[in-house]
Amino acid sequence: MNKKIALTGIKPTGDPHIGNYFGAIKPALQLAEQYETRYFIADYHALNQTRDPEVLREQIYEIAAAWLACGLDPEHNLIYKQSAVPQTFELSTILLAFTPKGLMNRAHAYKAMVQSNTEQNRDPDDGVNMGLFTYPVLMSADILLFDADVVPVGSDQQQHIEMATDIAEVINRNYNKEVLKVPQGLIHKDTGIIIGLDGRKMSKSYNNTIPIFLPEKKLRKLIMKIVTNSQTIEEPKDPDKCNIFSLFKLFADQQQQNEMRKRYLAGGLGWGHAKQALFEIINETITPFREEYNRLMADKGHIDAILEKGSAQARELAEQKLVMLRKEVGVL
Ligand code: TRP
């Protein structure tokens, strides 16, 4: 039986951190057991923000190397670059013809910009480019081009998936058949919020992240900065109210967690000791990832080759879909 298709786009936005790894990368990679998986680097989406070509180029390599180093196996998963599949942009043009402007007016990212402009007495559309405004259409094209059954994303992307669904349904109704597969969001649960250095959710906007590929010394220095309370070494401590332990749990197996829990409750474990233990377990886990990441970043030709091989495959699939669509809409 054919497996269902899971597809997701990865925006190239520098330095992935531990929150990205446990919140997005790992769950997306695990889907490969159940689904036929397709991952792509959403480089033209990034052009809306990143205008410096050197920066964009570097970020594309970084995100590709990051996913590959974290275990994306290009032999068993399709990985490609959005920009290398021009059919995406042709489909986007088709979708635009069916997308009510009002639907785009309701997109969260656009609405937030309009609201902040209005509050600051600026023109409502100040700083809004058409790439941002039509972002949900391009994202719909990414998804609908490859007949995705499910789209694993964070909850911030849920609205975009619903828009893709809406647009696909409008088109299917117009042609009176299932021209486009109607996708479903697979929203990563926020139950396991990853805590950052300051105890808030780990996020670039809070500047409290632990990047995955930091060199060992910098990693240790960062972990020593985790905010704790002023309990003394002797005092017994509550592991369930501790930022250090919440990170430790992500990396430790059950037995390691039980042992650390006992040390917390027994007293005599200082915050410095807990941080050292956390550093050691993180470092042990990510050292092979870091080594692979550095190896890939030192051989960008190899990354190019992987992406081009996947992109060639993606173009073939996309062209089949477009031949059907061109006939369906009547340009062929
Ligand atoms: N918008 C997504 C994000 O910001 C990235 C993305 C682009 C995407 N196209 C996609 C995700 C298609 C899933 C499917 O994270």
Side-chain angles (χ1 to χ4, degrees):
M1 210 179 82
N2 280 346
K3 282 188 180 172
K4 289 196 165 181
I5 296 168
L7 171 141
T8 198
I10 310 158
K11 243 166 95 173
T13 43
D15 254 5
H17 54 73
I18 282 171
N20 298 137
Y21 177 72
F22 288 101
I25 302 178
K26 195 175 170 202
L29 291 178
Q30 275 170 346
L31 291 175
E33 292 160 19
Q34 264 181 60
Y35 292 91
E36 182 182 333
T37 44
R38 299 174 178 174
Y39 308 96
F40 70 94
I41 297 173
D43 49 358
Y44 267 132
H45 282 287
L47 186 61
N48 290 323
Q49 291 106 20
T50 309
R51 296 288 170 78
D52 179 327
E54 280 313 313
V55 173
L56 183 56
R57 203 168 285 125
E58 192 65 12
Q59 286 181 344
I60 293 169
Y61 283 120
E62 283 172 5
I63 206 72
W67 280 67
L68 292 165
C70 289
L72 193 161
D73 176 1
E75 295 300 318
H76 296 105
N77 304 276
L78 189 61
I79 171 143
Y80 57 93
K81 246 166 59 162
Q82 178 193 38
S83 62
V85 184
Q87 289 85 353
T88 306
F89 312 103
E90 188 174 343
L91 178 54
S92 179
T93 298
I94 298 175
L95 302 186
L96 281 168
F98 289 87
T99 305
K101 176 170 177 286
L103 186 66
M104 297 298 99
N105 288 342
R106 290 195 287 279
H108 296 319
Y110 171 68
K111 261 173 68 175
M113 278 190 82
V114 170
Q115 194 188 341
S116 110
N117 282 334
T118 312
E119 280 165 10
Q120 293 171 54
N121 284 325
R122 287 193 296 250
D123 183 279
D125 281 332
D126 200 44
V128 176
N129 58 57
M130 288 303 289
L132 173 86
F133 186 65
T134 61
Y135 187 103
V137 178
L138 183 55
M139 181 160 160
S140 301
D142 296 330
I143 296 168
L144 301 174
L145 183 58
F146 290 98
D147 296 320
D149 292 285
V150 297
V151 185
V153 282
S155 52
D156 62 319
Q157 298 296 314
Q158 182 156 16
Q159 188 196 32
H160 290 150
I161 310 292
E162 284 163 11
M163 289 177 163
T165 302
D166 284 355
I167 297 170
E169 281 171 350
V170 168
I171 291 180
N172 290 345
R173 226 174 294 131
N174 184 74
Y175 298 104
N176 225 343
K177 63 163 122 153
E178 203 198 31
V179 181
L180 298 167
K181 165 94 57 80
V182 178
Q184 261 189 356
L186 201 68
I187 310 299
H188 303 315
K189 287 184 220 81
D190 278 339
T191 43
I193 284 183
I194 317 285
I195 299 297
L197 298 173
D198 59 358
R200 291 187 288 175
K201 178 183 171 178
M202 191 179 290
S203 160
K204 263 181 208 135
S205 46
Y206 294 151
N207 206 5
N208 65 357
T209 67
I210 305 174
I212 310 176
F213 304 111
L214 275 188
E216 197 167 313
K217 277 210 182 101
K218 288 200 174 149
L219 175 66
R220 186 165 185 283
K221 227 171 132 186
L222 205 56
I223 287 172
M224 292 302 154
K225 286 193 193 152
I226 294 177
V227 175
T228 52
N229 61 24
S230 54
Q231 281 178 294
T232 61
I233 295 187
E234 295 74 30
E235 282 178 75
K237 300 178 177 65
D238 182 353
D240 295 315
K241 292 204 179 91
C242 173
N243 301 336
I244 305 168
F245 191 73
S246 84
L247 286 165
F248 187 86
K249 278 198 294 191
L250 294 168
F251 293 88
D253 63 28
Q254 199 55 50
Q255 195 195 337
Q256 291 167 315
Q257 288 183 36
N258 293 345
E259 276 166 23
M260 186 55 77
R261 192 175 276 283
K262 272 192 214 139
R263 290 179 65 195
Y264 266 74
L265 295 171
L269 175 88
W271 292 131
H273 304 130
K275 288 176 183 180
Q276 178 63 27
L278 175 64
F279 160 70
E280 283 168 16
I281 200 163
I282 295 185
N283 193 47
E284 190 186 307
T285 312
I286 67 180
T287 293
F289 291 10
R290 184 198 298 123
E291 283 171 359
E292 180 61 8
Y293 179 81
N294 291 338
R295 202 182 63 74
L296 285 159
M297 285 303 282
D299 184 2
K300 290 186 175 148
H302 183 54
I303 301 179
D304 286 332
I306 291 172
L307 290 178
E308 188 35 44
K309 191 169 168 221
S311 300
Q313 252 174 292
R315 278 193 296 271
E316 243 173 74
L317 292 166
E319 185 56 20
Q320 286 173 22
K321 185 83 189 174
L322 253 298
V323 167
M324 184 276 278
L325 284 170
R326 289 179 197 121
K327 285 189 188 140
E328 206 59 58
V329 304
V331 296
L332 236 163

